Amino acid sequence: MREAGQRVRTIIAKLKRQYPAARCSLDFAGPLELLVATILSAQCTDERVNLVTPVLFARYRSARDFADADPAELETIIRPTGFYRNKTKSLIGMGRALVERHGGEVPRSMEELTAIPGVGRKTANVVLGNAFGINAGVVVDTHVTRIALRLGLTRQRDAVKIERDLMALVPKRHWTLFPHLMIHHGRAVCQARKPRCEICPVLTLCPFPGAQAPARRRKARG
């Protein structure tokens, strides 16, 4: 476990140097906007969400606004994010829950957040870490899942179990940053179909089979 922990710390250090601007890619101003944007990001790219939210946040500025929203109007605005009917129900339910239980404010605990309609552990981790600076867990998305498996940080396929493994290896102070590093790395280098192992900054720390060929080629040239 100690060796694994050291390897993770080295991976984090290298990726921090590679991606110094790694941060949440959703645009938001305040906890409520981040909560809404994260709900909309389900089965949708952050880029598309960022195209929709300026209009949305200009119309709905508070939890009360979402609680009292006309479903048809809300559906029209968020339609480009997909699954807009379910997301509309979640946003209205979220607004009502915040007004009724939390005085219109976004709560700061995992238990309270995950009791809100449309909010699971992943969404709660995003909000707690990026809006409040609270390291409650590790966000696990497709990039994090893929790269964690390739780096040998987990053998699990279930998001809850992957998060548990990562929380045991990643220093708590990096729980919020770590997924951002993984996402940036997944988009730029460790892509799903054809990972660019030849330019990977953590190649020497990677047991993924595809990482071995570039290593052998470099050694042969040397």
Side-chain angles (χ1 to χ4, degrees):
M1 177 64 77
R2 182 176 298 178
E3 289 183 3
Q6 181 56 52
R7 187 165 72 91
V8 170
R9 288 191 289 273
T10 303
I11 288 170
I12 292 172
K14 288 179 177 290
L15 293 181
K16 284 174 67 176
R17 288 194 293 271
Q18 185 76 12
Y19 311 107
R23 65 172 185 83
C24 180
S25 55
L26 291 168
D27 296 335
F28 67 97
L32 177 62
E33 289 192 1
L34 181 56
L35 177 56
V36 171
T38 308
I39 290 172
L40 293 178
S41 70
Q43 304 298 313
C44 181
T45 65
D46 291 352
E47 291 79 8
R48 186 175 293 268
V49 172
N50 289 339
L51 293 175
V52 169
T53 49
V55 175
L56 182 68
F57 295 150
R59 173 66 182 83
Y60 303 94
R61 300 176 179 272
S62 68
R64 172 64 69 182
D65 290 338
F66 282 101
D68 296 338
D70 174 66
E73 179 185 27
L74 187 52
E75 284 181 5
T76 298
I77 296 174
I78 69 171
R79 181 186 292 264
T81 68
F83 301 95
Y84 58 92
R85 289 193 177 91
N86 286 336
K87 290 179 181 179
T88 293
K89 292 178 182 177
S90 293
L91 291 178
I92 292 175
M94 172 215 69
R96 290 173 178 170
L98 293 183
V99 170
E100 294 169 4
R101 305 176 204 165
H102 305 289
E105 300 297 320
V106 177
R108 298 183 176 221
S109 77
M110 178 66 68
E111 294 73 21
E112 290 172 314
L113 277 169
T114 52
I116 293 172
V119 180
R121 185 173 175 87
K122 176 184 172 183
T123 296
N125 274 330
V126 171
V127 174
L128 290 171
N130 296 281
F132 296 123
I134 298 172
N135 290 306
V138 178
V139 172
V140 176
D141 73 348
T142 55
H143 291 293
V144 175
T145 296
R146 179 176 71 256
I147 299 172
L149 284 165
R150 286 178 175 174
L151 287 173
L153 305 182
T154 185
R155 294 181 179 178
Q156 305 295 333
R157 299 280 178 172
D158 175 75
V160 173
K161 294 178 180 178
I162 292 171
E163 183 185 9
R164 180 193 61 199
D165 288 348
L166 293 177
M167 288 171 69
L169 291 172
V170 176
K172 187 173 183 178
R173 67 183 182 277
H174 293 316
W175 283 359
T176 299
L177 175 63
F178 184 77
H180 298 322
L181 295 173
M182 295 288 101
I183 291 167
H184 277 67
H185 190 54
R187 289 172 177 165
V189 177
C190 198
Q191 297 161 354
R193 293 186 178 181
K194 191 176 181 181
R196 305 170 68 192
C197 298
E198 68 278 4
I199 63 169
C200 181
V202 294
L203 179 67
T204 57
L205 298 163
C206 182
F208 177 60
Q212 303 308 313
R216 284 198 297 269
R217 285 198 296 272
R218 282 208 302 270
K219 186 174 181 180
R221 288 182 189 137

